[in-house]
Amino acid sequence: MAKKNLDLEKFDFRDLSESADSPNALKGYITPIIEKAYMAFRNKEENKRIIEFSEFYKEKIEELKYRSNIQYTLSIAKNRNTNDTIIAKVKWPYKIKGEYRKYGYISVFIASTTKFPKGLKDPNLKYFAEDKIYQYINKNAPIELLDASGNPYQI
């Protein structure tokens, strides 16, 4: 294939239209050119900061939405010497205590069954558990944001 006059900085790939006639041309010629332009764009210092900032906030918005609807299951852990306890298995795919969990779940102690004698069927348990989970998450995974200069802070 003849070398085309492409402006990679402007992402002007119109001259490639004649070369897009086969899967081999896409794989061996067109894709590498577009990938090279994209990586050059991403690696420019002024673009790199904006892209990282954008990706950070995209992920953070997903996390904030998830915080308002945390997925969990409650179970009772049998204890030999003390009262049984109610534990929440919380799906948490974000950082907690500064790191990601291997399996994306955390266990949160909710209460003893003496507080909820009806166990998992207690009508007040759901609200109590959600509050305990939210408190645990906020304590161990505070909301971390970035200002426009890229400096982190917590709210």
Side-chain angles (χ1 to χ4, degrees):
M1 287 181 210
K3 207 58 160 156
K4 304 288 183 183
N5 186 23
L6 300 171
D7 188 349
L8 299 184
E9 273 197 28
K10 292 183 180 175
F11 280 76
D12 187 354
F13 305 114
R14 288 179 188 90
D15 287 344
L16 294 176
S17 64
E18 300 165 5
S19 304
D21 57 358
S22 73
N24 286 337
L26 280 175
K27 183 179 178 183
Y29 181 65
I30 294 173
T31 303
I33 290 172
I34 293 174
E35 190 172 38
K36 179 180 176 184
Y38 172 69
M39 293 310 292
F41 175 82
R42 269 189 78 95
N43 290 330
K44 280 187 179 177
E45 200 54 44
E46 64 269 16
N47 296 339
K48 194 178 213 177
R49 194 174 75 77
I50 292 168
I51 291 168
E52 288 172 355
F53 187 80
S54 174
E55 288 174 353
F56 173 86
Y57 269 98
K58 181 181 177 192
E59 291 173 13
K60 190 55 65 175
I61 289 167
E62 287 177 22
E63 177 186 332
L64 293 172
K65 287 178 180 178
Y66 185 77
R67 280 177 184 255
S68 65
N69 189 26
I70 295 173
Q71 304 299 308
Y72 66 93
T73 54
L74 296 175
S75 61
I76 295 179
K78 302 286 185 188
N79 296 322
R80 292 181 193 195
N81 300 329
T82 61
N83 294 323
D84 296 343
T85 55
I86 300 171
I87 304 289
K89 183 178 179 183
V90 181
K91 183 177 182 184
W92 190 254
Y94 308 102
K95 277 187 178 179
I96 190 155
K97 296 182 180 177
E99 60 186 36
Y100 290 98
R101 296 293 173 140
K102 185 175 182 180
Y103 298 107
Y105 287 92
I106 54 174
S107 293
V108 178
F109 169 81
I110 302 301
S112 169
T113 51
T114 55
K115 185 167 185 126
F116 296 99
K118 294 180 183 175
L120 301 179
K121 295 180 181 180
D122 195 300
N124 299 319
L125 178 60
K126 181 180 189 279
Y127 301 107
F128 185 83
E130 288 175 354
D131 186 53
K132 282 285 250 193
I133 293 166
Y134 192 77
Q135 288 175 22
Y136 181 88
I137 297 285
N138 280 346
K139 178 182 174 197
N140 294 292
I143 299 170
E144 296 177 346
L145 301 173
L146 295 176
D147 65 18
S149 300
N151 300 315
Y153 65 95
Q154 294 180 351
I155 60 169

